[in-house]
Amino acid sequence: MKHKKRKIGVFTIFLAVGVVVVAAALMLRGVFRSFPSADEVLEGYMSCILEKDYDRMYQYLDDTSRRIISREDFISRNQNIYEGIGTTGLQVTISGAESEENEVAYSVSMETEAGTVTFNNHARFTKEKDGYYLQWDDSLIFPDLLSTDRVRVEELKAQRGTIYDRNGLVLAGQGTVSSVGLIPGKMSEEPSEDIRRLAGLLDTTEEGIQEALQQSWVKEDTFVPVRKIKKSGVENALLGEAGAPGSQLEQELLAIPGVMITDTEDRVYPLGEKAGLLVGYVQAVTAEDLEANPDKGYTSQSRIGKAGLEKLYEDRLHGTDGCRIYIEDQNGEEKENLAYREKQDGEDITVTIDYQLQNDLYDAFAQDKSCHVAMNPKTGEVLALVSTPSYDSSSFVLGMSENQWNALNDNPDQPMYNRFKASFAPGSSFKPVIAAIGLSTGKLDPDADLGKSGTSWQKDDSWGSYMVTTMHEYPEPSNLKNALIYSDNIYFAKAALQIGGDVLAEQFDRIGFQEEVPFVFGTTPSQYVNEGGSLSDDILLADTGYGQGEVLVNPIHMAAVYSAFVNGGSMIRPVLEYPETGAPEYWIRDAFTAEAAETVRSSLIQVIESENGTGHGARVEGVVLAAKTGTAEIKDSKEDTGGTELGWLAVFTADPARENGLLLVSMAEDVKDRGGSNYLIGQEKELLAAWTK
């Protein structure tokens, strides 16, 4: 048998300009007397794949092939396979010779969802008067593909990384939830009342349940999922709410004919609302997410971190799904593997948070609007970040009803508001900052008596009726230590005036005011004046001295400032992951002088130890603690006699040599008529005893 020698050709098919296309008109029978060669016909046929022009592909088939497969079946078969495997690139190399039987050998390299598929193949042609036509069968798609075979695409789901606390306890990870559904064949003959009861128990709609039952794939014995509920030990709290015990809820659900409860896997958040604003949640990706992350392996079925740690660490937690493409025969047996892309699970992340401390702090203030930052002042490891009230992250994952969403958004206590990221008026908890600045700059003598002024004072008559007031008179000298023990507003108003507005502004800027804390959570910057303002006004300057005026401080920033009192004047950098070096990092070295830090530290110990100290109620036997309380007035104007109050408590283990110390900064809203800052002491007394010994 003789063969005509052929020049080997290579062509690459793209969707862009330059696609090698043989126009369909060339294939219309009888139009031209000269016609393309067999390999050019093959090029034209293959070019249709990426253009998804399966109708034009059919025109390349010979008469025999057209009698075997209809246009509709041909289009369906090719479209389902090529689009199903996600064909995005195609290179065809003509590698053989045209024989008397009109056969062309070629090789294919095809880009798919599972990677590159390559194979060698051959195409046979029928030569008719007006040109070459393909003798088509399924092997032209893949060499070993039969008409009875199926091409399967198996998605290999990557596991999202788990978030662990410092002790290896799960804060967010894969776990078991309950799926509540219906088996149609076991439902009542008149199920409308049962559906109404089920909708009520699951806080969903009757219409939604009906739509689920009417899906095309549903059969009499099919389990039709209706809603997932949280599974937690002996309880199944509905969607994260404190509901009936699991046994009772299950009994009510299972009493409805056709209801079935099965276990399934999903993202779980063991601490629930106690870490909601810390850990955050994941949700299904949106079109905007896909557009913003085009090359990160997301699909329409992916989930993405939307808040908290889930969002902050998304790039590391998010895995990349794998994919496998294979041929399955008519018996359901795998016949040939075509392509495989290995999945890449997300990274597990261990944070410095202590699960139990996070739990205990939330429980202590669950009924309040509050925030709390617990930190090791020597290492910067953040041990707890609490904001109350909060939400249960599981609600977003398992599905939130309209009622639940409205309840969250309409709640006046704002459970979606992350208070530990915000800034608030610090009140007297700010006085140690003023003291440290005054001592470091030499503007304040700790032993100097700034004079007795009773419980109200003003600089001079230029202040009109405005007076600085304080709660207590005391017999001891009005020096720094006593002013901190008794929380003397008048002393610190005088101290601020003595230091001066320019010096204070310069030092505030040095210790991180007007900028975000260098921390994984973005925070509202602390401020000492409103935008565009200054400390040139004496009344504003005096009020700044005791944490009023226009001062707003973020609690994480406050914790970093207080850390300087056990670090020789340097402010630790807060961290949520252990530093790679293992050594603590300082945010601002020498924020205060070592002498100033020591003077403030020793004075704050007396706030606890002295019976007259405002923090004496927080004293723990056998532990040296230092603290400062604070009550900030929130009112519309200086003349406002109403308004509300914020309570603060900043307390820390005062031994500079202690490596496992605790620094806790807490703020609670609406403490007026509840004891002011003493309310926080009462709530934290037992917790401090347990966590500082």
Side-chain angles (χ1 to χ4, degrees), residues 160 281-286 289-290 292-293 296 298 301-307 310-311 314-315 318:
R160 186 174 179 84
Y281 55 88
V282 295
Q283 281 188 313
V285 295
T286 62
D289 293 325
L290 293 174
N293 301 277
K296 294 186 177 180
Y298 292 103
Q301 304 302 311
S302 298
R303 283 176 170 175
I304 191 170
K306 290 289 188 177
E310 292 277 35
K311 180 178 181 180
E314 172 62 25
D315 286 347
H318 165 64

Side-chain angles (χ1 to χ4, degrees), residues 10 480 589:
V10 179
L480 177 61
R589 286 189 176 274

